[in-house]
Amino acid sequence: MGTKINLLDLFSGIGGFHLGLERAGFKINSFNSEIDKYANQVYKHNFKNSTYVGSVTNVRRSELPKINAI
């Protein structure tokens, strides 16, 4: 069982960083931010349990759990 981390995936694109961490054995609880609608659709499809937090300009630390990786 891998280490669990909370990931704030800013400018998340299609989730390459998220995927890399998963393949390295981490268990990811992710929060993603991306403004490109197509990248967002791909990210949502690939990481169904991720929480979309909107545009990076609207992300509020007080509304997130402790983040281990950005």
Side-chain angles (χ1 to χ4, degrees), residues 9-13 31-35 40 52-56 59:
D9 206 353
L10 300 174
F11 313 104
S12 56
F31 302 86
N32 71 298
S33 173
E34 175 58 64
I35 60 171
N40 249 334
Y52 179 69
V53 295
S55 170
V56 69
V59 174

Side-chain angles (χ1 to χ4, degrees), residues 2-8 17-18 20-22 25-31 65-70:
T3 303
K4 293 181 182 180
I5 63 171
N6 290 330
L7 169 67
L8 177 56
F17 189 63
H18 184 140
L21 287 170
E22 279 187 346
F26 291 93
K27 301 297 179 194
I28 309 295
N29 179 32
S30 71
F31 302 86
K66 181 182 178 202
I67 300 297
N68 306 106
I70 298 176

